[in-house]
Every structure is written in structure tokens, then in C-alpha cells.
Amino acid sequence: MKNNLYNTTLIIDTKKIISNINFFKSNNKNIKIIAMIKANAYGHGDIEIAKILEKENIYMLGVADFEEGIRLREKNIKSKIMVTAPTKNNIQEVINHNLEPCIYNFEILEEIIKINKKINIHIKFNTGMNRFGFDNNDINKCIEKIINNKNIHVSSIFSHLANSNNNKNDLFSIRQINRFTKINKTFNKIFKYKIDAHIHNTEGYISLNNNNIIRIGLGIYGYTKTYPEIKPISELKSHIIQIRKIKKNESIGYNRSFIAKKNMKIGIIPIGYADGIKRDWGNGRLKFLIKNKLYPVVGVVSMDSCMINITNTKIKEGEEVFYFNKKRNICELAKDLNTIPYEITSSLSKRIKRIYI
């Protein structure tokens, strides 16, 4: 199907994905990379991204929901897949599709024991994030339930840094790492086989400690300014599909939230809140890039469109418009919108055409 059929496209540069992965491999040739592709690979298309990562011999893929893992299996993805948020109700489906569940409470662990089938598991411990995971006083009980069960193999134990994007002197992250190191030593002492241990994400790996196994999301998609070698892999491009002249005192959009103070010209872009552009980003909060200049949205964002102020310009219908690209860095865009790049890309609707180059 021809790409020019689509007014709005997310263009993904596959070479940059590989380059970003190689950045971590260049620092440590023996590194094991767990590539996080949950939430449709943070909006970039999980199936295509998984195929690319599989060719790069990634150690493991990470998803959150069991259906995300099943979809990858149905598309013939053979890699090890870790499911980070299974529940008691779907743990059987996880096992049936050769997925590896993360165990974060005793309810799920008991369910796995009942299933009585050989399975690799990953055990999550809470060291300060206070989200998923066993607490420190659960360690002995957890080990007791697993140690003599021949069907259960602990592939890894892991935790999650709460504040890893801070500098090397972040005492909270250091405390988390120290707590996790003690847990790891306990497992190494009791279990007779090698168990992987991972706590570092992209920023944690870069700023705190170069470990031998990491979970990366930022590192794949390039949404970090910590290292210039890591590049954003995508850009979102649309077009102006209509231009209107607005007279002074006329309103624009729903609720008449914008009233023109003078005669002006606006361009309509076919992307709205159904595509991932938040409704309250209108009236100057969000700006789109056209030929190296930013133009603000006027009026509230509609479901399928938004309007930008192009008064006193020679911009014509059909002009390319960028939500983010090389010159409109997504990290800067996120900062302007008081959010993070992940929220921007993972919110992108599936009706936006993904193009891989």
C-alpha cells in the first residue's frame, strides 16, 4: 500500500534502533538486554519492533500484559518473553503460550504451584518503588515455596529503580541497589544454579552502574538526552489539509474557547485526541513545526483534528507538519507539555500509520 495515502504517519528508523542497541553492546560485549516492548512497543508497533530486536539476538523481550505476549507468539516471535504484570486469572494462558511470568505476590506463586508444570519465572522484589513486588520480609517464605519444587526454575530476580534519571549521587537509588544486592546474595547462597539479577533501566545503567543485565526502553527508542549516541528512532508527520481565513471576533472550534482578536489564517491538521493529542493541549499549549518554525494550536483539540495559527505566512494546503522530529526533539516537546516522551508515543492511536524505513 502506498505511503502517500496517509495524511498522518509515524516514521520509524530501524537503523537507529540497531544503533541504540549497539551502544549498550559496545560498552559491554557480554551484556544481556531485556528489551521492553510493552504498550505496543511504546507506540511504535510491537510486532515489527520485536522482529528487529530478535534479529539482533536480544536476550529477552518484556511485555506487561499477557495478551501482548500472546500476540507476539501468534506472529511467530520465538524469543524469550517476560510478562511483568500477570494475574492469577491469566497465569495459565501465560504458561500455555511459553511466556515467562513475573511473580510479585504469593497468590500468583500459589497458582503456579497448583498448575504443576515446568516453567521459568522471574521474581520481583520491592526495594523502594512501592508498586509491584515481594517485600524484604517475604524473602524466606518465597524461597521455601520454590526451593524444593522441581517444576519451577527461577530465571531471574529483579527490582525497579524509582529515581534512576537523577545523578550518580542519588542516595535513594543507591539504597535500592544495596537492598537488592543483599536479596541477590541470599538467592545465590541458597539456590544451586545461576539466577540472573537486574534492577537497572536505561538511565540507571548509564548514571549509576554498568551491570551485566539491563531492562531498556529509553535505550531502544532513544528518548534520552543523557548520551548523544542514543538517537530518537521516530518522527510524526502530518499535513495541512485545509486553510481557513478567520475574521476578527469569530470563534474557532468547540465551546468557542478561542475568539480571534484580529483577522487571521488557520491550518487544519488531521490529528486529534483520538490519535493521542490531548484535548486540553489546545489554545497555545501545543505547537507544531513547519519549516523550522513552531505554530500554536488555536481552539481546543477535536477528536480527529486540530487547528494552528498560520497568520501572515505563505503556508499552503498540503504543507508538511511535524509533531516531533529531529528539529523538534520529543524530549523538548514533552517538557513543554509537562509530560514524558513515553506518554506521548504510547498514547498514539493505532489508526496512525506506522512506516518502517
Side-chain angles (χ1 to χ4, degrees):
M1 194 172 286
K2 293 180 181 180
N3 294 337
N4 60 7
L5 292 176
Y6 304 95
N7 285 313
T8 303
T9 53
L10 182 68
I11 302 165
I12 297 116
D13 188 333
T14 60
K15 286 185 178 180
K16 286 181 180 176
I17 299 173
I18 296 169
S19 175
N20 290 342
I21 292 294
N22 286 338
F23 167 77
F24 293 93
K25 291 181 178 179
S26 66
N27 287 340
N28 182 348
K29 293 181 180 179
N30 298 316
I31 196 168
K32 291 182 178 179
I33 295 175
I34 300 174
M36 302 308 296
I37 58 168
K38 60 185 178 177
N40 196 30
Y42 297 62
H44 297 87
D46 53 359
I47 304 302
E48 292 300 326
I49 300 298
K51 289 177 181 178
I52 295 166
L53 295 172
E54 197 163 61
K55 288 180 182 179
E56 294 302 305
N57 298 315
I58 291 296
Y59 171 61
M60 189 184 301
L61 301 174
V63 299
D65 182 74
F66 79 102
E67 288 185 304
E68 294 176 331
I70 291 173
R71 184 168 59 251
L72 292 171
R73 288 285 184 250
E74 289 175 344
K75 294 297 182 179
N76 207 33
I77 299 300
K78 305 293 187 184
S79 300
K80 290 161 66 74
I81 301 174
M82 178 176 72
V83 181
T84 62
T87 65
K88 175 183 176 181
N89 295 335
N90 57 49
I91 198 70
Q92 182 70 64
E93 286 297 304
V94 171
I95 295 170
N96 289 347
H97 288 84
N98 192 29
L99 306 170
E100 300 187 5
C102 296
I103 312 304
Y104 53 87
N105 62 32
F106 286 110
E107 184 181 46
I108 298 174
L109 180 55
E110 293 288 356
E111 195 67 22
I112 284 177
I113 292 171
K114 288 179 187 176
I115 290 172
N116 194 29
K117 186 177 180 180
K118 288 193 174 183
I119 182 172
N120 294 328
I121 68 170
H122 305 266
I123 307 175
K124 186 164 191 177
F125 289 95
N126 172 42
T127 58
M129 180 73 129
N130 286 320
R131 198 172 58 178
F132 295 109
F134 291 101
D135 292 323
N136 199 62
N137 56 11
D138 295 325
I139 295 173
N140 291 335
K141 182 180 176 182
C142 183
I143 290 175
E144 286 173 8
K145 288 183 174 292
I146 296 171
I147 189 68
N148 294 318
N149 191 315
K150 294 182 180 179
N151 285 327
I152 298 176
H153 179 268
V154 182
S155 290
S156 79
I157 62 171
F158 70 107
S159 192
H160 200 116
L161 293 173
N163 206 31
S164 62
N165 59 346
N166 277 355
N167 58 42
K168 295 181 180 180
N169 297 318
D170 175 23
L171 295 178
F172 190 84
S173 291
I174 292 171
R175 283 199 296 269
Q176 280 193 267
I177 293 168
N178 289 339
R179 289 170 189 157
F180 184 66
T181 299
K182 289 180 181 178
I183 297 170
N184 188 29
K185 286 180 179 178
T186 300
F187 271 76
N188 284 333
K189 184 178 179 180
I190 295 175
F191 286 82
K192 295 180 179 179
Y193 54 86
K194 170 66 177 173
I195 297 175
D196 284 327
H198 45 102
I199 189 171
H200 290 90
N201 54 12
T202 300
E203 296 286 5
Y205 174 85
I206 290 172
S207 65
L208 294 164
N209 183 24
N210 290 345
N211 208 345
N212 288 323
I213 180 167
I214 56 170
R215 303 184 306 272
I216 57 174
L218 281 174
I220 300 169
Y221 309 111
Y223 305 139
T224 174
K225 286 192 166 184
T226 307
Y227 267 65
E229 293 92 339
I230 298 176
K231 305 289 187 184
I233 68 168
S234 65
E235 64 178 26
L236 195 149
K237 178 175 69 174
S238 190
H239 295 80
I240 290 180
I241 59 172
Q242 186 174 8
I243 290 176
R244 301 192 68 89
K245 291 182 179 180
I246 305 296
K247 294 180 180 179
K248 181 180 178 181
N249 295 326
E250 285 189 330
S251 62
I252 298 173
Y254 285 114
N255 302 330
R256 304 189 71 232
S257 65
F258 183 91
I259 306 295
K261 294 181 180 179
K262 59 183 179 180
N263 292 346
M264 58 188 298
K265 183 169 67 172
I266 62 170
I268 292 86
I269 305 170
I271 183 171
Y273 60 76
D275 301 293
I277 308 294
K278 288 190 176 181
R279 188 173 183 273
D280 64 356
W281 285 353
N283 288 320
R285 190 171 175 192
L286 172 63
K287 298 177 178 66
F288 284 89
L289 183 71
I290 304 175
K291 292 181 178 178
N292 301 321
K293 186 176 178 180
L294 293 171
Y295 295 88
V297 172
V298 289
V300 297
V301 175
S302 302
M303 181 181 287
D304 312 301
S305 62
C306 56
M307 296 73 72
I308 60 173
N309 184 356
I310 54 172
T311 305
N312 298 324
T313 72
K314 295 182 180 180
I315 292 171
K316 299 178 180 179
E317 290 181 359
E319 195 82 62
E320 286 188 339
V321 178
F322 290 93
Y323 184 25
F324 55 85
N325 66 355
K326 290 180 183 179
K327 295 179 180 178
R328 175 57 161 157
N329 187 283
I330 193 170
C331 294
E332 294 300 325
L333 171 64
K335 185 178 179 181
D336 290 345
L337 296 172
N338 194 30
T339 183
I340 56 175
Y342 278 177
E343 185 179 19
I344 291 174
T345 59
S346 64
S347 298
L348 295 175
S349 150
K350 288 188 177 181
R351 75 179 183 179
I352 294 176
K353 177 67 176 176
R354 273 72 171 170
I355 297 174
Y356 303 88
I357 59 171

